[in-house]
Amino acid sequence: MSKNIVVFLVQSTKGGSKKRLCEAVRRMSKEKKCYIIASSSDFPLDIRNNENIELVNTPDQNAFTNTLAFTLLSTIKLLKIIYKYGSSIEWVGSFSANAGFSIALLSPFIDTKIFCVRRGANLRRLKIRLREDMNRNALSHIKGLLKIFIHKLISKAIFASSDLLISQTESGIRQLENEYDDWLPSRRAVLRNNVDATWIVRRRNCAVNDPIKLRCDVFNVCYVGRMQLLVKGVDSLLNAAEKLKKDDICFHLVGDGKDMKKIHDHILSKSLKNSVNLYGWMDNPLKIMVESDLLVVPSRVDPCPNVVLEAFAVGTPVIGSNTGGIKAMLHYDDLLFNPGSPKEISKMIRDIATDREVYDDISSKCVDLKDKHCFDWGGNLTKVFREYKYHTGIYKPIDI
């Protein structure tokens, strides 16, 4: 019997994992039947209407986005698919950190290849959050330690049961090797995210046609991401903004998160209201980004920020932290600063804002990086599945 079915699992349908999964099934559904097990049916219309794609969602309730509950329900759903199709299934895999736990539980009974897509750095983010919890109370600290323990346990089970590990950057693979080397599958591949992904193109077109107009008499700097002071480096960006508040530079912060109130209070206490605009969550932040002169990605930990690709797509230059996936994506030293360094960030922004030659240089470098990130992501994932077993070390269908 021919193997013509691929099963994908993703827990959250709100982030980048779902978007990458959609790119995969758009391509693979041309040749194979694809099943998606997710915590919600919230997928684009072209995915829902594709006859070769079947959505198998667990109950769409907040309670079921919990990892253990999703694992229980997705295990049942996956078991039904395995029982029905058996040896026709070619691959079963997960697109988010915890979604693969149900696959790990069933792996002794699955006669098919198993893959997992991981960005890396999840454990590092949890450890930074644990440092934040130490400043609150003992109970929060204990919960943080327990979360790290459970995360490591689940990750080890997923890696041990997998035949193939896929990450978006080589640094993501290296981070996972540092934490889990003895548990990782021997076959590993790097598949970068692409700038011409369907969801980025749709957002870009909408933003270009209906941008949010910004002031023309200042240099506009944009941040897009979760509002987290330490992990996302928003504290460093705010401190840089304080150093630049007398310059003709305006900051635009787009996103939401647990530190939103602290950030709002900081803006007021440091008298930054005239130079820092806090927008909160936006359905399409590219409407701000397309009008901005510069995007800053100040994260201390970020394995593969899609916001960099979004900036490339709308033609906005980017600078970011010299760490992890940001370093891999931006490549050039003069687009990078040390994470957690407001002094470096403020100097770079001032130089870019006041020196046209510097601005044109970083813009040119970003255009070059954009061109390198244009490729068929789903097609290259298909290539990874087809070619992975013939390669040792880290397989790269596209080496940027």
Side-chain angles (χ1 to χ4, degrees), residues 261-356:
K261 186 178 186 306
K262 289 182 179 179
I263 292 167
H264 179 265
D265 292 345
H266 183 91
I267 291 171
L268 293 179
S269 66
K270 299 297 182 179
S271 302
L272 298 175
K273 196 172 181 180
N274 291 330
S275 60
V276 179
N277 298 307
L278 194 58
Y279 291 84
W281 182 86
M282 290 180 63
D283 182 55
N284 187 0
L286 274 66
K287 291 186 176 186
I288 293 283
M289 197 184 298
V290 72
E291 289 289 300
S292 298
D293 300 297
L294 181 71
L295 175 78
V296 181
V297 188
S299 306
R300 288 178 172 84
V301 178
D302 211 327
C304 190
N306 286 322
V307 69
V308 172
L309 299 175
E310 292 174 329
F312 290 165
V314 298
T316 300
V318 191
I319 60 172
S321 297
N322 188 11
T323 183
I326 303 172
K327 178 181 179 181
M329 295 176 78
L330 294 181
H331 181 69
Y332 297 103
D333 288 342
D334 45 358
L335 299 181
L336 299 167
F337 51 79
N338 287 318
S341 177
K343 185 177 180 180
E344 278 191 46
I345 297 172
S346 59
K347 183 181 185 305
M348 282 189 73
I349 292 174
R350 180 178 282 130
D351 289 346
I352 293 167
T354 57
D355 190 325
R356 187 69 198 188

Side-chain angles (χ1 to χ4, degrees), residues 4-44:
N4 57 0
I5 294 174
V6 182
V7 183
F8 302 92
L9 284 84
V10 63
Q11 182 176 339
S12 172
T13 58
K14 296 180 180 179
S17 298
K18 182 192 82 170
K19 294 166 183 171
R20 288 298 145 200
L21 188 153
C22 289
E23 292 296 301
V25 296
R26 284 187 180 105
R27 175 62 174 77
M28 286 194 177
S29 62
K30 296 177 181 179
E31 302 169 1
K32 300 179 184 296
K33 180 75 173 180
C34 298
Y35 284 83
I36 301 174
I37 300 176
S39 60
S40 167
S41 58
D42 181 25
F43 280 81

Side-chain angles (χ1 to χ4, degrees), residues 57-346:
N57 65 292
T58 58
D60 191 7
Q61 300 175 30
N62 290 335
F64 290 105
T65 60
N66 174 275
T67 297
L68 294 178
F70 175 79
T71 297
L72 174 63
L73 293 166
S74 61
T75 300
I76 296 170
K77 302 285 188 181
L78 180 58
L79 198 56
K80 289 180 178 179
I81 295 173
I82 293 169
Y83 179 77
K84 184 174 181 179
Y85 296 105
S87 58
S88 295
I89 301 172
E90 181 179 9
W91 284 95
V92 176
S94 57
F95 262 74
S96 55
N98 297 323
F101 193 36
S102 57
I103 303 174
L105 293 175
L106 293 176
S107 60
F109 314 104
I110 297 177
D111 184 24
T112 187
K113 296 187 287 291
I114 299 172
F115 73 92
C116 59
V117 178
R118 293 289 291 270
R119 297 194 308 164
N122 281 0
L123 199 57
R124 289 179 63 197
R125 285 201 298 271
L126 289 174
K127 288 178 178 178
I128 290 177
R129 290 172 190 169
L130 183 62
R131 275 170 33 207
E132 291 178 311
D133 290 337
M134 290 177 67
N135 299 324
R136 296 175 186 170
N137 56 64
L139 183 59
S140 295
H141 187 63
I142 292 170
K143 285 181 179 178
L145 287 171
L146 184 61
K147 188 177 289 187
I148 289 175
F149 174 77
I150 293 173
H151 180 83
K152 289 193 73 169
L153 199 64
I154 290 174
S155 295
K156 287 179 179 179
I158 292 171
F159 294 141
S161 65
S162 297
D163 299 292
L164 171 65
L165 167 66
I166 303 171
S167 186
Q168 284 96 331
T169 61
E170 189 168 346
S171 65
I173 295 278
R174 299 305 180 201
Q175 289 166 9
L176 292 169
E177 287 174 345
N178 289 337
E179 297 287 352
Y180 303 102
D181 194 33
D182 293 337
W183 297 88
L184 297 182
S186 59
R187 304 292 185 183
R188 302 164 194 178
V190 169
L191 180 54
R192 289 286 189 91
N193 288 347
N194 60 323
V195 75
D196 47 352
T198 304
W199 60 274
I200 292 180
V201 172
R202 289 173 177 172
R203 276 187 166 190
R204 179 199 65 199
N205 292 342
C206 178
V208 169
N209 292 326
D210 185 27
I212 294 176
K213 295 296 183 181
L214 305 179
R215 288 174 57 188
C216 298
D217 59 334
V218 295
F219 187 84
N220 291 294
V221 178
C222 181
Y223 164 85
V224 175
R226 289 193 300 275
M227 293 298 162
Q228 294 179 340
L229 288 167
L230 288 181
V231 174
K232 291 297 184 179
V234 179
D235 60 331
S236 301
L237 187 60
L238 288 174
N239 290 333
E242 186 178 357
K243 295 177 182 294
L244 297 169
K245 68 179 180 179
K246 293 183 180 179
D247 295 57
D248 290 329
I249 298 172
C250 190
F251 291 81
H252 306 272
L253 278 56
V254 183
D256 201 355
K258 66 185 184 67
D259 291 334
M260 192 70 166
K261 186 178 186 306
K262 289 182 179 179
I263 292 167
H264 179 265
D265 292 345
H266 183 91
I267 291 171
L268 293 179
S269 66
K270 299 297 182 179
S271 302
L272 298 175
K273 196 172 181 180
N274 291 330
S275 60
V276 179
N277 298 307
L278 194 58
Y279 291 84
W281 182 86
M282 290 180 63
D283 182 55
N284 187 0
L286 274 66
K287 291 186 176 186
I288 293 283
M289 197 184 298
V290 72
E291 289 289 300
S292 298
D293 300 297
L294 181 71
L295 175 78
V296 181
V297 188
S299 306
R300 288 178 172 84
V301 178
D302 211 327
C304 190
N306 286 322
V307 69
V308 172
L309 299 175
E310 292 174 329
F312 290 165
V314 298
T316 300
V318 191
I319 60 172
S321 297
N322 188 11
T323 183
I326 303 172
K327 178 181 179 181
M329 295 176 78
L330 294 181
H331 181 69
Y332 297 103
D333 288 342
D334 45 358
L335 299 181
L336 299 167
F337 51 79
N338 287 318
S341 177
K343 185 177 180 180
E344 278 191 46
I345 297 172
S346 59

